[in-house]
Amino acid sequence: DSSWERGAFTNFATTGDVEGFGPALEGQQVGSQVVVGSPPAAGYGASEGHELQKETLVFVVDILAVQHAAS
């Protein structure tokens, strides 16, 4: 998947589908570019039959803005 190829940014939470997003992205500065690697067990490894179940996931994230969750 590539939001660059779509020509539109993507909003996502640092918690959820892929373990490791939170620790890799939280605390980073707006304007940073971060590479996040996630082994199969921390990605879609538990999703039996998912096409990426056995794949290491690599994300390049440009942090354009942040929005903090309501407390």
Side-chain angles (χ1 to χ4, degrees), residues 1-54:
D1 187 20
S2 174
S3 59
W4 286 328
E5 289 178 8
R6 287 192 306 275
F9 62 86
T10 300
N11 293 320
F12 60 88
T14 57
T15 59
D17 290 338
V18 178
E19 289 181 38
F21 262 18
L25 299 177
E26 292 172 4
Q28 296 290 339
Q29 299 293 317
V30 171
S32 297
Q33 185 176 71
V34 181
V35 176
V36 181
S38 184
Y44 295 105
S47 302
E48 191 62 41
H50 192 284
E51 67 180 317
L52 299 175
Q53 179 181 6
K54 297 179 182 178

